[in-house]
Amino acid sequence: TQQAIINFIEDRAPNLSDLHISWFGGEPLLALDIIENMTKRILSLAEEYKFLYSASIVTNGYLLSPENARRMLDCKIASCQVTIDGEAETHNARRPHASGSDTYDVIIKNLQAVKDILPFIILRVNIDKENTDAISHVIETLKELQLNNVNAYPAPILDTNGCYSAGACLSSSEFFRFEYDFIKASRDHNRMLQKYPAILCRACGADDSSAYVIDADGKLYKCWSDIGISELSFGSVAKG
C-alpha cells in the first residue's frame, strides 16, 4: 500500500504545485516509522518535481512525547490536532488504555512536555448530551498549566456509520446553540467572526477534485466519513 501511494503521487507529480498529507488513523503515532519512510520518499519527489510539501496529524496524544514531536517536525508535520473525550473522568471512562488504565493525565502531561517543540496544537474536545460542560473544564486546565500554544474547541460526536448511540448525540441545532453560548461567554470575538457565513473555497474533500482519502488497504474515498463503506470507495491507489 505504501508503494502504491508513492506511485499514485509520482504519477501526478509533474502537475503538482503543492501536496498536503494529513496522517490519521487508528493512531498514526503507532506507525511513525511508516510516516518517516513515506515522508522521505515524498520529499525526494517534491525536490525532483519542484512542488511544495506540508503535513498535519490527528492523534489521541498518548504517544506525543518530546522525541516523537521532534520526529514529527522532521516529517514536516507543522499542524497537530489532539482529540479528547471531555474532562478527566469522562475521557478515562470512554478512552481507557488497552490495559484498562487512565489516559487523560498522560495526554495532558504530553502537551506540557512538547510545549516548546510544537508551537501550535489544536485540542478537539468531543461532546455529546452528557458532557457539554467538558470544554469549560478543559480550558480551565489549559489556563492553569499556561498551555497558551493549545487552542481547545468543542466538537459534536456524530453517529457516523452507526458508530455511536444516536440518542446520545446533540442535534445540529442543539450543538450550534451550545457553541454560540460557549463562544459568547468566552468573549472570543475572532472565533465568533469565524462562524459568520462566508464563501468557502471548499468545505470537504468531497468537493475538491484533487483531494483523496486513502484507507489502510489503499482504497480511495472522497470524505473521511465514508471510510469503511465499501460501496462509497471509487477505486484504489493500486488499481486506479
Side-chain angles (χ1 to χ4, degrees), residues 83-92 94-95 104 108 123-127 131 133-135 137-138 157:
T83 55
I84 59 174
D85 277 11
E87 81 298 341
E89 183 178 0
T90 303
H91 176 90
N92 288 331
R94 297 183 181 185
R95 287 205 196 187
Y104 183 86
I108 296 299
L123 185 62
R124 173 186 169 122
V125 183
N126 294 325
I127 64 168
N131 71 332
D133 59 343
I135 183 67
H137 290 298
V138 171
I157 298 175

Side-chain angles (χ1 to χ4, degrees), residues 51-72:
F51 62 82
L52 300 175
Y53 177 70
S54 60
S56 58
I57 196 167
V58 180
T59 170
N60 61 29
Y62 192 83
L63 298 176
L64 193 60
S65 64
E67 178 188 355
N68 284 343
R70 293 186 185 97
R71 291 170 68 184
M72 286 161 51

Side-chain angles (χ1 to χ4, degrees), residues 54-179:
S54 60
S56 58
I57 196 167
V58 180
T59 170
N60 61 29
Y62 192 83
L63 298 176
L64 193 60
S65 64
E67 178 188 355
N68 284 343
R70 293 186 185 97
R71 291 170 68 184
M72 286 161 51
L73 289 180
D74 290 340
C75 291
K76 308 298 182 183
I77 298 173
S79 174
C80 176
Q81 176 177 290
V82 175
T83 55
I84 59 174
D85 277 11
E87 81 298 341
E89 183 178 0
T90 303
H91 176 90
N92 288 331
R94 297 183 181 185
R95 287 205 196 187
H97 192 273
S99 66
S101 60
D102 293 344
T103 57
Y104 183 86
D105 286 345
V106 174
I107 296 167
I108 296 299
K109 288 177 180 177
N110 284 345
L111 293 178
Q112 291 177 274
V114 301
K115 178 181 179 180
D116 297 326
I117 303 172
L118 299 176
F120 184 69
I121 295 174
I122 302 167
L123 185 62
R124 173 186 169 122
V125 183
N126 294 325
I127 64 168
D128 59 16
K129 292 179 179 179
E130 297 179 359
N131 71 332
T132 53
D133 59 343
I135 183 67
S136 298
H137 290 298
V138 171
I139 287 176
E140 283 303 311
T141 298
L142 297 177
K143 287 181 179 178
E144 291 172 6
L145 298 176
Q146 297 183 333
L147 289 172
N148 301 321
N149 64 318
V150 181
N151 182 27
Y153 76 99
I157 298 175
L158 304 176
D159 181 31
T160 303
N161 299 350
C163 65
Y164 205 71
S165 171
C169 298
L170 293 166
S171 68
S172 293
S173 59
E174 287 172 331
F175 174 75
F176 290 125
R177 169 55 60 183
F178 165 81
E179 184 182 46

